[in-house]
Amino acid sequence: MSMREAIAAFVHDGDTVCLEGFTHLIPTAAGHEIIRQGRRNLTVVRMTADIVVDQMLAGGCVSRLVSSFVGNSSAGSLGELRRRVERADPEPLVFEEYSHHGMVCRYLAGAQRLPFYPLRSYAGSDLTKVNDGLRKVTSPYPGPDGEPEQIYVVPPVNPDVTIVHAQRADRSGNTQVWGLTGVQAEAVYAARTAVVVVEEVVDDEVVRSDPNRTVIPAHAVDAVVECPRGAHPSFAQGYYDRDNAFYRAWSAISKDPVWLREWMAEWVYGTKDHAEYTAKLGEEFWASLAVGEAMSLPVNYGRRL
């Protein structure tokens, strides 16, 4: 499907939408299309809420955020998000906070259709004071001292749709990822529907030649969208580098509401799709983010003679 078709089909007002990708493979292009289509009242679930979330907030798409990290990825702050959390400006944002591990456990519970997932790492944490979703249960098994044990649990998350970015997939949706794999697979399995955005759609034979890279199998995928450079300003391992200059610039852009709206008008609303966005940046710009080869050695899977 095209990005426009996939977002129109699978993202609706009021949905819970998961956007995952850790450090690289962030589904920015999908976020921009959600903004262009004017979706409203979304609950966004993203472990590391960063620039794409700030932009979706500026686009008026998000009323609730579920996350374990909020920030401009080592380059500063998120102006729109801060205004909404700190001053309810221009309107409030409901923010539900977990730890990274707590979010991973929520995805695991969601993927396995479990009622909750236990973890030890909230002992002594102040998160329990701000999030009543963190609760304790009595373990059915004795603790290390042989006595009954109280242990924290987190609820599952089951998004209406999960959108992830990846390097490549075949037309059926068998999706291959290398580098940091994050929680893309768990987030897809936890969702009711899933959209995979890839740098390129490849022939079945390419996927079959290296099956262990297939992190997300076709049966879990509802739509495949080919969108080259769709993770910018993050990177896609092996395809293009991180746009560090943009990350540094975003703090100033988002801090000024007027400048932010001007940027959105030019780069999101002012482009009909991601292909136009990338073309607007220009080939000289993309050449500056080019990466060299770092080939993985082939392996011999063996075959019957």
Side-chain angles (χ1 to χ4, degrees):
M1 304 177 79
S2 70
M3 183 74 81
R4 183 178 292 111
E5 292 168 335
I7 298 305
F10 295 104
V11 181
H12 311 99
D13 289 356
D15 275 357
T16 295
V17 180
C18 166
L19 300 166
E20 279 303 345
F22 187 74
T23 303
H24 75 147
L25 302 177
I26 295 170
T28 308
H32 286 179
E33 185 58 30
I34 290 171
I35 296 168
R36 290 189 193 98
Q37 294 195 18
R39 293 297 180 267
R40 292 292 181 266
N41 197 32
L42 300 178
T43 293
V44 167
V45 183
R46 174 158 172 73
M47 280 183 60
T48 52
D50 48 12
I51 286 176
V52 68
V53 173
D54 215 27
Q55 293 169 349
M56 290 175 70
L57 282 165
C61 304
V62 185
S63 60
R64 185 182 191 92
L65 175 64
V66 182
S67 184
S68 53
F69 166 89
V70 173
N72 182 9
S73 301
S74 78
S77 196
L78 302 175
E80 185 71 13
L81 190 147
R82 289 195 67 158
R83 283 188 290 275
R84 290 176 184 252
V85 171
E86 294 174 354
R87 304 195 301 271
D89 175 21
E91 57 189 25
L93 173 69
V94 178
F95 179 40
E96 188 176 333
E97 185 178 5
Y98 294 84
S99 65
H100 269 10
H101 182 52
M103 285 295 297
V104 171
C105 290
R106 292 200 68 195
Y107 282 129
L108 288 169
Q112 299 172 42
R113 300 307 189 262
L114 294 171
F116 55 80
Y117 208 93
L119 67 167
R120 295 187 183 278
S121 58
Y122 284 133
S125 168
D126 285 340
L127 275 177
T128 60
K129 299 175 182 177
V130 298
N131 186 344
D132 61 9
L134 309 178
R135 302 176 188 177
K136 280 185 175 181
V137 299
T138 302
S139 170
Y141 303 102
D145 59 0
E147 297 298 320
E149 182 180 17
Q150 291 282 302
I151 190 163
Y152 277 105
V153 297
V154 291
V157 60
N158 294 110
D160 294 296
V161 59
T162 284
I163 304 173
V164 297
H165 198 92
Q167 279 99 337
R168 67 190 183 200
D170 62 22
R171 290 181 60 84
S172 298
N174 293 299
T175 304
Q176 298 196 323
V177 181
W178 55 94
L180 286 165
T181 56
V183 291
Q184 273 95 320
E186 292 84 352
V188 164
Y189 275 120
R192 295 177 177 85
T193 57
V195 175
V196 170
V197 184
V198 292
E199 291 295 317
E200 57 178 335
V201 173
V202 297
D203 292 337
D204 296 358
E205 289 72 22
V206 174
V207 170
R208 290 173 181 169
S209 72
D210 195 3
N212 281 17
R213 292 198 204 281
T214 303
V215 173
I216 300 166
H219 68 79
V221 177
D222 295 276
V224 179
V225 174
E226 186 175 60
C227 185
R229 300 166 173 169
H232 178 266
S234 74
F235 66 103
Q237 189 76 42
Y239 287 77
Y240 47 91
D241 207 350
R242 187 178 192 263
D243 185 357
N244 289 312
F246 184 83
Y247 277 93
R248 289 191 293 268
W250 184 254
S251 292
I253 294 170
S254 65
K255 185 177 182 180
D256 182 339
V258 174
W259 191 0
L260 174 56
R261 267 63 187 176
E262 290 173 350
W263 187 93
M264 295 281 291
E266 179 179 359
W267 290 95
V268 181
Y269 298 113
T271 54
K272 67 178 181 180
D273 55 25
H274 196 70
E276 191 168 297
Y277 171 95
T278 58
K280 184 178 174 68
L281 286 166
E283 287 306 314
E284 184 176 345
F285 166 83
W286 288 108
S288 72
L289 297 183
V291 294
E293 288 188 343
M295 302 301 291
S296 175
L297 292 175
V299 298
N300 184 0
Y301 281 96
R303 62 183 301 174
R304 184 174 293 134
L305 296 174

